[in-house]
Amino acid sequence: MGTNGSTMLEPLEPLRQALPPIDPSAVASSASCALPARYEAVRGARQFTKKTLGQWELSERFDEVALVVSELVTNALRHALPADTARESDAPPVRLHLMRWTSRLVCAVRDPSVDSPSSPGSDDCDAESGRGLFLVDSFSDSWGWHPLTGTLSGKVVWALFRLQPVD
């Protein structure tokens, strides 16, 4: 399910350009998993995040990172897939990337849509949906999105978490 290594970072070149300055050669670890077009994929994304953060000795960050991952994956499944995408299909149209630097962790979700992520203009706190990007903004240190370039079409929506330096 997961892929480790620097080759998976190549499709994320636009992501690196949109983030605050980070030396790409300083990436300590990276992991990636493909997610099918089913809402059950959100649970799989959380499990993948838990396992990866555990391997990176970042388990204490799981709650806020998993919440953000859940929201980004849910948004990709709900809003970014074309209406004619079969939800039962095993084709993985969404991909979760986790990248760790010494002082930063980035969660990025790639999807096939070129539309910018947006939240409803309503300030209705009792609404049952539409708060995803508000939660992403509240729990991460920064977030954004960038269209993909090259042979891949779509976009990457990312969230950055600052990590405490290890003494």
Side-chain angles (χ1 to χ4, degrees):
M1 183 163 163
T3 305
N4 291 319
S6 61
T7 57
M8 72 72 124
L9 293 176
E10 292 169 8
L12 297 180
E13 184 61 34
L15 169 67
R16 281 194 238 128
Q17 294 170 1
L19 287 169
I22 297 174
D23 179 5
S25 66
V27 130
S29 303
S30 63
S32 171
C33 72
L35 300 168
R38 295 189 305 263
Y39 289 116
E40 295 83 17
V42 177
R43 181 171 42 120
R46 282 194 302 267
Q47 291 169 340
F48 176 78
T49 300
K50 183 174 188 168
K51 178 182 173 189
T52 302
L53 293 182
Q55 291 171 344
W56 293 347
E57 298 180 1
L58 294 173
S59 295
E60 74 280 358
R61 299 301 302 266
F62 173 72
D63 290 338
E64 71 257 31
V65 174
L67 181 126
V68 167
V69 164
S70 295
E71 292 300 332
L72 293 179
V73 170
T74 298
N75 283 349
L77 293 171
R78 182 175 290 156
H79 302 293
L81 296 179
D84 59 354
T85 301
R87 299 291 180 190
E88 299 80 38
S89 169
D90 284 333
V94 175
R95 189 157 194 92
L96 169 62
H97 300 273
L98 300 173
M99 294 163 284
R100 179 178 178 250
W101 284 261
T102 303
S103 62
R104 298 174 187 190
L105 171 71
V106 172
C107 306
V109 175
R110 185 179 82 198
D111 68 55
S113 173
V114 295
D115 295 334
S116 69
S118 61
S119 53
S122 168
D123 291 330
D124 183 4
C125 292
D126 294 327
E128 296 215 8
S129 65
R131 295 184 305 244
L133 292 177
F134 173 77
L135 291 172
V136 169
D137 188 57
S138 297
F139 284 88
S140 66
D141 291 299
S142 63
W143 74 277
W145 74 280
H146 216 68
L148 292 170
T149 59
T151 58
L152 294 173
S153 63
K155 69 177 172 302
V156 171
V157 182
W158 56 266
L160 180 141
F161 297 86
R162 288 190 182 91
L163 302 174
Q164 297 299 320
V166 177
D167 293 332

